[in-house]
Amino acid sequence: MFLYRVKVEELDAARLLSLKNAIVRRETDLRANCPIREMSVIAGAARELDIYLALDDLIEPEQLKRLAGDLNAMIDTPRVSTELIHI
């Protein structure tokens, strides 16, 4: 299993809330294109948003690229960091 973590920093309160809601609303679409086991979206007090995606081991590189592209299109801010961890 893989853990894909996306951290978005320096968001104002309105953008934080709207981004969190947009990602949660699009969860079904994200799952349709990628083998996501679990998804968690956490808004932090420090104006940051953490997105955690537990992915199957059998994820194809193209699926991961599409997932990253879909998330980047939704986030649309330069203050994003990502990491992919094999568990």
Side-chain angles (χ1 to χ4, degrees):
M1 181 165 62
F2 289 94
L3 176 65
Y4 185 55
R5 178 178 180 239
V6 180
K7 183 176 190 140
V8 187
E9 300 178 290
E10 297 183 15
L11 297 167
D12 62 40
R15 179 73 175 129
L16 180 74
L17 184 58
S18 69
L19 183 55
K20 180 180 179 186
N21 290 336
I23 292 170
V24 170
R25 280 193 312 270
R26 296 262 334 261
E27 181 176 357
T28 303
D29 296 336
L30 294 172
R31 285 179 182 270
N33 297 318
C34 189
I36 299 171
R37 287 186 179 187
E38 298 290 329
M39 180 173 157
S40 179
V41 182
I42 302 167
R47 302 182 318 157
E48 54 193 38
L49 188 68
D50 286 307
I51 306 160
Y52 296 95
L53 302 159
L55 308 173
D56 284 340
D57 279 337
L58 303 175
I59 188 168
E60 297 291 327
E62 288 303 316
Q63 290 175 310
L64 186 56
K65 284 181 186 178
R66 183 168 181 165
L67 175 63
D70 289 347
L71 288 170
N72 283 334
M74 281 189 280
I75 294 168
D76 191 32
T77 184
R79 300 290 302 178
V80 177
S81 61
T82 62
E83 58 185 327
L84 182 64
I85 304 165
H86 189 255
I87 299 173

